[in-house]
Amino acid sequence: QVQLVESGGGLVQAGGSLRLSCAASGRTFDKYTMGWFRRQAPGKGREFVAAASWSGGTTWYADSVKGRFTISRDNAKNTLDLQMNGLKPEDTAVYYCAEDLGGTTGKYTGAAYWGQGTQVTVSS
């Protein structure tokens, strides 16, 4: 059974940084594209943030975070990280780790497995 557990969310001032981590278990980690999505308001759909190919050698980002966020993965440790710099109030959301992404490459719209989410709040 796949389990994805996020950590690292919190409250930060605009311009600050946070690092999210996702620990994965349950199946072979390095076979799948992994990524991060976020939900900015209750009732709103999850939007794609960033993804990394199975090796981590190829990454994709939403235009809204390009140049500020960096995704990375460690296949030896089964972890996926998201370094978020230059945070803005509009980055406030629940962030979800996701495994085995679906949709157009680089513009993913869903995933086979999700974590429970971690709250990121950016104050102005």
Side-chain angles (χ1 to χ4, degrees):
Q1 183 175 346
V2 174
Q3 281 197 313
L4 303 172
V5 180
E6 303 97 336
S7 60
L11 173 64
V12 64
Q13 287 190 328
S17 298
L18 280 175
R19 188 176 185 89
L20 305 183
S21 292
C22 173
S25 62
R27 65 177 185 174
T28 306
F29 180 76
D30 61 3
K31 288 184 181 293
Y32 304 99
T33 297
M34 301 286 297
W36 293 91
F37 287 70
R38 66 187 181 188
R39 190 194 310 271
Q40 293 177 302
K44 197 174 175 184
R46 281 183 278 218
E47 67 170 3
F48 169 69
V49 175
S53 64
W54 67 271
S55 67
T58 303
T59 57
W60 302 270
Y61 296 93
D63 288 342
S64 58
V65 307
K66 209 170 287 185
R68 299 187 297 123
F69 290 11
T70 302
I71 190 171
S72 60
R73 65 190 293 168
D74 185 335
N75 287 342
K77 296 181 179 178
N78 287 5
T79 58
L80 179 76
D81 290 346
L82 185 69
Q83 178 65 41
M84 305 186 294
N85 298 330
L87 283 161
K88 304 175 181 179
E90 52 264 43
D91 293 318
T92 295
V94 178
Y95 284 72
Y96 297 88
C97 176
E99 180 173 318
D100 195 4
L101 307 192
T104 302
T105 299
K107 297 185 186 298
Y108 298 102
T109 54
Y113 298 97
W114 300 94
Q116 82 287 352
T118 186
Q119 177 71 47
V120 171
T121 303
V122 185
S123 63
S124 55

